[in-house]
Amino acid sequence: MTMLLHSRPPYNFCGMEGMQPEKCGVLVLPVPYDSTTSYRGGARDGPHAIISASRNMELLDLELGCDISKAGICTLDELEPSSDSPAKTISRVEEAVEGIAEAGKFPVMLGGEHSLTLGAVRALAKKHPKMSVLQLDAHADLREEYEDSKYNHACVMRRVREICPSTVQAGIRSMCEEELQHVKKEKSKLVYGRNFDAREILRGLGEEVYVTVDLDVFDPSIMPAVGTPEPGGLLWEEVLPLLREVARKKKVVGFDVMELAPLAGNVAPDFLAAKLTYKMIGYSLRL
């Protein structure tokens, strides 16, 4: 697969210039897509907003005591979604992430709506057949079908679990009756709201883990810029220790940060998403 770079270097994550994919350990894949969004649209603008905000971060991470960007972070061209169907867009994500993995690079996907996660999971499961998935999200996303599609954002974790049964869902505080019955029948590893224990989550995961973060896992007080905000969400100080512990005890093979729908005049959510992405890179690479 040919990996294309943006012709405008300032667009690169962290504002890094001159980054070449073959010389970097981390490849960022922006996917501007929100065609199956149910409530508030705008997630297609999320990747650009995250990258724009990242250009204004201090690159020294005080928690880790290092400049995470020195690991080499290269931003690829935005992936062009298919106008034909969600399934084809997911296949394009699969192809792109598979190319990143085959090149021996660490994949980071910026969304875009959550349906895209399926493509990344499909790709990485080929290289890591025993891979687990950790989902941080306000919604279970376990519907069999929604709005006449099995590839709607509301179905993404139902499809993911068909590939990776060893999946843990945390931060969940909204689901329909169908999803609740599925959780009970399948005895899914699902942690409601803020009542989670990192040790419990770790026990449900295998040694290799893909992490998917729907930003609505955060409380709307700090993350209002999502398609379907839910009250009672997690705070920054609760999410980061969990992600740090998962990366310390398991091997994170890739991750995504999804569903940012930027709000005009409020860049704080964009900056949170950028900072989260940056810190997750540092955790995952164990810097």
Side-chain angles (χ1 to χ4, degrees), residues 183 187 215-216 270:
V183 168
K187 297 181 179 178
L215 288 166
D216 66 21
D270 308 353

Side-chain angles (χ1 to χ4, degrees), residues 119-134:
V121 169
R122 280 178 177 172
L124 292 173
K126 297 173 188 176
K127 185 174 182 179
H128 308 281
K130 295 183 179 180
M131 183 179 77
S132 297
V133 176
L134 172 61

Side-chain angles (χ1 to χ4, degrees), residues 269-281:
D270 308 353
F271 198 87
L272 184 154
K275 193 84 169 181
L276 178 70
T277 302
Y278 194 57
K279 293 184 79 68
M280 287 180 71
I281 292 172

